[in-house]
Every structure is written in structure tokens, then in C-alpha cells.
Amino acid sequence: MTRSRQLKTLLAIVETGSFARAANRVALTPSAVSQQIQALENEVGVSLFNRENRPPTLTAAGQQMVEAAAELVRAAENAIDAISGRRIVGKFVIGSVRTSAIGLLPQAVSRVVANHPGLKIRLLVGNSENLVQDVYAGRLDAAIIAENSLSSRDLDWSPFIREPLFLIAPPGTPVVDVRQALSAFPFVRFRSNVPLARLIETELGRMNLPLNDIAEMDTISAVTACVENGLGVSIVPRIAAIERGVDLVMLPFGDPPVFRQIGLLQRPKGPRAGLIAELHEQLAQVSGEYGVPRPLS
């Protein structure tokens, strides 16, 4: 417990910017704060602060200790919450790929926070590979990734949304058939090293149509903006086609229709398992008719 208090004091110094303000944060005197940091430095055998600067600044070792302290304190709080059944507090750290489904996350998170007022949410956006590694290492409690991004058998993944892909065309475009539209109009291609792009390309390859590429974009929002402004037609998930409030022409893509899945990745027995299950439930609810309930364990 003494070491835990020292780590929390260290984090308070970094967050407030001074020993004096940190003392107020952790309800100690400034001299007690200094004593805790000195005790921590004696234990690790290096200086964590350069005291020649005013205010003192972190040394390289201090920065490394802060990163480790943040993870250790959060893990300890999570474990105590899970074991004691007390009111859920502390941080809930979520990662996400840059998916159009990320727009659902604020709605779901706001519901979770309403149930747990003491909870602090931190959202990090990154690529699938890094997110998988961060969940595995415990740096993230959970991550939102696509189904075939999963690359670790030691983690659990469960979808919260399964939605169809649509061909979209500018408002008022006389389109009644997907194949006819792809052949007749310029095509805005989603070009990115992500599962969604590969899913679209696979179906387009199966259709074997001559496409007249007019633009390549690396985000779905950019693709949709191009179509809105009349550059051509494209393929996007349903949520991306409707969330901008523009009356795009939409036709189901694929025969049979192609669906994409987005889900939550987590460690099987992590300390935030109950909270992740609650987040999954809320994400499925805000996904509407395409939401996927969490499987019963």
C-alpha cells in the first residue's frame, strides 16, 4: 500500500505540474510529498526528477517510471473494484481503429458513465496491430476492431454490430442496379490497408467489372464526401452512408449482400470484464437493428 501511495503521488506531481499542487491533490504536506518521492527514488536507485530545474522536471528514468506507474495504479484499482464489488471508479481505457462505427462509441460511453459517475474514460485511436498488442499487454482494457484484424488466440473478440455494405451515389442519381452503376459512373475507391477495404475489393473482384476510378481515398468519410459532391459512386458501410444526413442513393452491395462486423477485443479474464460487457450491450443497442448482443458465457 505504501508503494501504491508513492506511485499515486508521482502521478499527481506530473498531472498538476508541481510538488505543492500535488500535495493538495493527495491530501499531504509538501514535505510529505517530497519524502515519498525520495523514498521511491531510493528504492529504484535513480533520480526521478531533475531538481536543478524550477519546477523540477522528470528525468528519463522518471518518465519511464510514470508510464509504468500509470499502468500499475490503474490495474490495482481495477482489481480492487472487481474483487470488492465496490462502486466502479478509476480509468477505463478503450482503443479503436478509425472506423465509421467509432461514431457509435460516444453514445455508448455516455450511457456507461451515467451508470458509473466516478468512472473516467480514455479513448485512444490506432491501427489494429498496435491495439491488439496493447490489449494483450494490459495497456488497454478493450479495443474496437474488425473481425479479421484479430491476431491473438489469447484474446476474446465479440461483435457488437453486423451491418450491410451499400453502393452509394449522389442524390438524385438514376440508379436501379449495382452492376449498372459501377459500370456507368466514375468510381471513388476506398484504398487502405484495413479489413473493410479488403472486403470491398474481394467482392468487386468477384464481380469482375471494368471500373473507371476517379479518386482514391484512405478514409470512409472522405469517400462519402466525394460521392456527396458528385464525383462518382462508391461502396461504404450503412452507418457511413446515413450518418451525414445527406439523401444519398443507396443500393445493397453484393450477391448475397456483404456484411462487415466490428467488435470488442479483450483479455478473457481481465479485471474490467463486467464493464466491457456493459459497454458491449450499449454499443449493440445504439447500433439499432444491426446490433449484435454479447453471447452468453
Side-chain angles (χ1 to χ4, degrees):
M1 292 298 295
T2 299
R3 188 174 301 165
S4 176
R5 286 195 293 269
Q6 292 170 350
L7 295 178
K8 289 180 180 179
T9 299
L10 173 64
L11 294 177
I13 294 170
V14 174
E15 291 170 1
T16 62
S18 77
F19 279 56
R21 287 191 291 270
N24 291 329
R25 169 79 65 86
V26 298
L28 292 173
T29 64
S31 61
V33 167
S34 296
Q35 290 172 6
Q36 283 197 1
I37 297 304
Q38 289 173 357
L40 187 58
E41 288 176 325
N42 291 337
E43 183 172 355
V44 298
V46 295
S47 295
L48 302 179
F49 287 91
N50 183 349
R51 291 173 174 78
E52 295 179 358
N53 297 332
R54 289 290 179 269
T57 56
L58 287 170
T59 63
Q63 183 61 52
Q64 186 176 1
M65 177 61 75
V66 166
E67 294 174 1
E71 293 184 18
L72 290 170
V73 169
R74 182 171 63 86
E77 290 178 345
N78 292 351
I80 292 172
D81 288 343
I83 294 170
S84 66
R86 73 180 188 185
R87 182 171 66 94
I88 297 177
V89 295
K91 289 183 179 179
F92 185 33
V93 188
I94 311 165
S96 178
V97 293
R98 297 182 184 277
T99 170
S100 53
I102 197 175
L104 301 171
L105 190 54
Q107 302 175 54
V109 165
S110 66
R111 297 183 180 188
V112 173
V113 171
N115 294 332
H116 309 287
L119 190 66
K120 294 182 180 180
I121 304 293
R122 186 181 182 198
L123 174 62
L124 304 175
V125 178
N127 61 54
S128 297
E129 182 179 351
N130 289 341
L131 294 177
V132 170
Q133 293 302 317
D134 286 343
V135 171
Y136 183 81
R139 291 185 289 271
L140 294 174
D141 293 308
I144 294 176
I145 66 172
E147 179 179 16
N148 53 358
S149 299
L150 185 57
S151 61
S152 175
R153 296 180 179 179
D154 298 320
L155 302 175
D156 288 342
W157 179 89
S158 57
F160 62 81
I161 185 171
R162 181 179 184 269
E163 63 171 345
L165 303 189
F166 280 85
L167 177 133
I168 57 173
T173 304
V175 173
V176 295
D177 179 78
V178 170
R179 296 182 67 91
Q180 174 265 330
L182 289 171
S183 300
F185 296 100
F187 184 65
V188 180
R189 191 177 296 271
F190 177 43
R191 182 76 75 182
S192 182
N193 185 29
V194 297
L196 176 58
R198 294 191 288 271
L199 183 64
I200 295 171
E201 290 299 318
T202 297
E203 182 63 16
L204 288 173
R206 191 192 66 78
M207 298 174 73
N208 194 29
L209 296 173
L211 299 179
N212 176 25
D213 285 22
I214 191 172
E216 290 186 358
M217 297 292 164
D218 63 357
T219 66
I220 286 294
S221 59
V223 168
T224 307
C226 287
V227 175
E228 287 177 9
N229 287 279
L231 287 184
V233 301
S234 192
I235 311 298
V236 299
R238 174 185 175 275
I239 192 171
I242 66 173
E243 66 180 357
R244 297 172 72 98
V246 178
D247 191 19
L248 296 170
V249 175
M250 297 173 57
L251 293 175
F253 175 64
D255 184 18
V258 177
F259 288 76
R260 69 94 176 251
Q261 294 192 112
I262 299 292
L264 279 172
L265 184 72
Q266 68 180 100
R267 286 169 290 163
K269 297 181 179 180
R272 290 296 201 194
L275 199 56
I276 296 169
E278 183 178 346
L279 176 62
H280 185 286
E281 178 183 358
Q282 298 297 346
L283 283 166
Q285 288 184 11
V286 299
S287 298
E289 61 181 304
Y290 299 106
V292 181
R294 190 176 181 88
L296 297 176
S297 55

